[in-house]
Amino acid sequence: MNNTNIAAALAVVKPHEPNEAINRPDKNWKPYPCLLTRNELEKLVAEQLG
């Protein structure tokens, strides 16, 4: 079993300076709507996947 601390593992992956703020997304963040219907989105995805 690997007992590596998750915070330490993340720090190794993406180190930052001690005085640098960590930018985290707002908990209420939502993407802007694309104004396409579900059917239009499904057609686009089907077209891209083949």
Side-chain angles (χ1 to χ4, degrees), residues 6-7 9 20 22 25 29 31 38 44:
I6 293 173
E20 180 183 2
I22 299 173
W29 180 86
R38 180 182 283 276
L44 284 172

Side-chain angles (χ1 to χ4, degrees), residues 25-38:
D26 185 17
K27 290 183 180 182
N28 295 325
W29 180 86
K30 293 185 174 82
Y32 291 108
C34 65
L35 303 178
L36 294 175
T37 64
R38 180 182 283 276

Side-chain angles (χ1 to χ4, degrees), residues 33-48:
C34 65
L35 303 178
L36 294 175
T37 64
R38 180 182 283 276
N39 288 336
E40 291 171 328
L41 287 172
E42 287 176 353
K43 286 179 186 177
L44 284 172
V45 170
E47 185 179 297
Q48 291 178 1

